[in-house]
Amino acid sequence: MPRKLKTFKMYTPTSVELSRLLERADADRVPIVWLLEQLGRRSFGLTFFVMGVVALVPGASTLVGVLLAWPAVQLMLGHEAAELPPLIDRRTVGVARLARMIAILAPRLARLERVVKPRWPELFSTTRRATGVAMLLLGLSMISPVPFSHIVPAVVIMVLALAYLEEDGLVLLIAFAGAVGALAVTAATVWGMIETIDWIDPAVHRARP
């Protein structure tokens, strides 16, 4: 009985895929939904990464934390590509502007791809929904009113997104550990703030029988 030969799918780095994206644009402006369709599975990783970067901007973390729930739930449900709300999906972006953005992003991604690269495919393929859960919880933790509490979750979101983009199970596992730590720190910080308020203003305590 002849042995079956294993076939390996050639992986194209995200930086290369982004550069090739411009070759498929057939108009001066393209809708955002077209970009997501072209990126396919990578659309999740890129969406999360961009949201993580934007969340570092002062004052933007609360809004990003809410918006991040949209693609996170889709990933939990097993969708193959990210879908944004129709109001955003229908918006268009100029190809010239897109080319400038890719020219900035692609070289930086290429440097990161020397470290973050396809590894441990079994772990990566079995944790897709867990990645969605982690993204959802990290996004919710950025809604915390505690100053600067959004920074660590935003950084962890970026690392998770990179691991997802490059199908790196090892970095994904490290990012999961970082997510647990970030969520624990956020919970402890919020609890500490509540306890401090109770100590400063004892009147908030309910009267005990």
Side-chain angles (χ1 to χ4, degrees), residues 57-137:
V57 178
S61 60
T62 299
L63 178 60
V64 171
V66 174
L67 292 177
L68 197 140
W70 187 281
V73 170
Q74 292 176 8
L75 187 57
M76 290 164 55
L77 294 175
H79 290 203
E80 290 300 321
E83 297 177 12
L84 296 178
L87 184 63
I88 300 175
D89 261 351
R90 289 194 295 265
R91 296 181 68 87
T92 61
V93 59
V95 173
R97 182 180 180 184
L98 184 62
R100 291 193 296 269
M101 294 169 61
I102 291 177
I104 295 172
L105 183 60
R108 289 164 174 77
L109 275 176
R111 286 195 290 269
L112 290 171
E113 286 163 354
R114 298 173 187 171
V115 179
V116 185
K117 52 190 175 183
R119 280 178 292 199
W120 297 9
E122 296 82 6
L123 178 62
F124 174 81
S125 60
T126 57
T127 55
R128 291 188 63 208
R129 286 178 170 80
T131 302
V133 174
M135 290 293 188
L136 178 62
L137 295 176

Side-chain angles (χ1 to χ4, degrees), residues 14 18 32-33 35-53 67-85 124 127-129 131-133 135-136 157-167 172:
T14 303
L18 283 175
I32 292 177
V33 64
L35 294 175
L36 297 178
E37 289 173 352
Q38 295 298 310
L39 289 169
R41 181 200 57 77
R42 298 176 200 257
S43 59
F44 279 113
L46 200 58
T47 300
F48 289 135
F49 185 79
V50 171
M51 286 186 171
V53 173
L67 292 177
L68 197 140
W70 187 281
V73 170
Q74 292 176 8
L75 187 57
M76 290 164 55
L77 294 175
H79 290 203
E80 290 300 321
E83 297 177 12
L84 296 178
F124 174 81
T127 55
R128 291 188 63 208
R129 286 178 170 80
T131 302
V133 174
M135 290 293 188
L136 178 62
I157 286 171
M158 292 165 61
V159 176
L160 266 173
L162 283 172
Y164 192 84
L165 272 173
E166 300 305 318
E167 299 185 2
L172 194 66

